[in-house]
Amino acid sequence: MSPITIKKASIEDLETIKNVGRETFYETFAKNNSEEEMQKYLDESFSEEKLKKEINTPDSQFFIAWDENNPIGYLKINTGAAQTELQDETSLEIERIYVKSSHQGKKVGQILYDKALEIAGQERKEYIWLGVWEENLKAVNFYKKNGFVEFDKHIFVLGTDEQTDLMMKKILK
């Protein structure tokens, strides 16, 4: 495998983000959800209109992981008012770390997480937080390994199905 590169995404990367997002979300969650719920969620969450709005949100940033010319994952982070819940000026939210199944176990998620950590440091944030589905044990364990602890729960709606996300954070200062 060649070295993984991380590049900040722009509106020109909309199609790449859409395709990687849909593929990785489906790969990760289809086995635990109905096809109907999955398609409803994918159509709503990865529509060009919604992604265009997200990419153009000033306090949100996307970074794409590349293996040569192949997009293999991406990171979405939010600060300030762009955060989905806490909206604390001293925090950074990791909204998404998505990695294609073909590259899982190859440290791509860690590289994307490290990019979020780097930005949090540059912006002098006090903590990083995120929500992760309680049944996605691989992801929960990844965040625990990186020093995150559970501090709350919230409901995540997939299609029409309400699921529980663990809210986790890591204190940086």
Side-chain angles (χ1 to χ4, degrees):
M1 189 168 87
S2 58
I4 303 302
T5 56
I6 306 295
K7 294 183 182 156
K8 187 170 182 178
S10 68
I11 196 68
E12 287 78 33
D13 298 301
L14 179 107
E15 198 67 25
T16 299
I17 291 168
K18 176 182 165 185
N19 292 339
V20 171
R22 287 180 67 92
E23 180 180 337
T24 56
F25 195 90
Y26 191 87
E27 287 175 340
T28 305
F29 301 110
K31 63 186 171 290
N32 300 95
N33 294 282
S34 75
E35 185 65 22
E36 183 182 340
E37 298 290 4
M38 285 298 298
Q39 290 307 318
K40 181 174 173 31
Y41 182 82
L42 293 173
D43 291 345
E44 291 171 1
S45 297
F46 297 102
S47 71
E48 286 193 14
E49 183 179 311
K50 184 172 190 304
L51 288 173
K52 193 179 293 184
K53 184 178 177 190
E54 289 180 11
I55 292 168
N56 288 324
T57 298
D59 289 338
S60 292
Q61 296 180 67
F62 285 82
F63 296 88
I64 300 173
W66 296 87
D67 182 356
E68 295 183 352
N69 294 323
N70 300 313
I72 57 170
Y74 77 84
L75 163 71
K76 180 184 181 204
I77 57 173
N78 302 312
T79 56
Q83 294 178 86
T84 57
E85 284 188 49
L86 300 182
Q87 299 180 343
D88 181 343
E89 289 297 328
T90 68
S91 71
L92 179 143
E93 175 191 17
I94 296 175
E95 186 175 349
R96 297 181 202 130
I97 293 182
Y98 289 173
V99 178
K100 289 184 178 183
S101 62
S102 61
H103 284 74
Q104 291 193 0
K106 298 179 180 178
K107 306 287 186 214
V108 179
Q110 189 67 49
I111 292 167
L112 290 167
Y113 166 71
D114 289 344
K115 184 65 177 176
L117 193 60
E118 173 190 324
I119 293 167
Q122 289 169 352
E123 296 185 7
R124 296 181 173 21
K125 299 300 182 186
E126 294 178 13
Y127 65 98
I128 296 178
W129 72 275
L130 54 88
V132 59
W133 188 31
E134 65 184 353
E135 294 185 35
N136 187 353
L137 299 181
K138 189 174 177 183
V140 171
N141 290 332
F142 171 83
Y143 292 117
K144 284 182 178 177
K145 180 186 79 153
N146 279 286
F148 283 76
V149 295
E150 183 182 339
F151 71 95
D152 203 352
K153 294 181 180 185
H154 68 191
I155 298 299
F156 175 84
V157 180
L158 191 145
T160 57
D161 185 29
E162 291 189 357
Q163 301 177 353
T164 302
D165 274 5
L166 304 177
M167 293 177 70
M168 301 179 81
K169 71 178 170 182
K170 177 178 179 173
I171 304 297
L172 302 175
K173 295 183 177 188

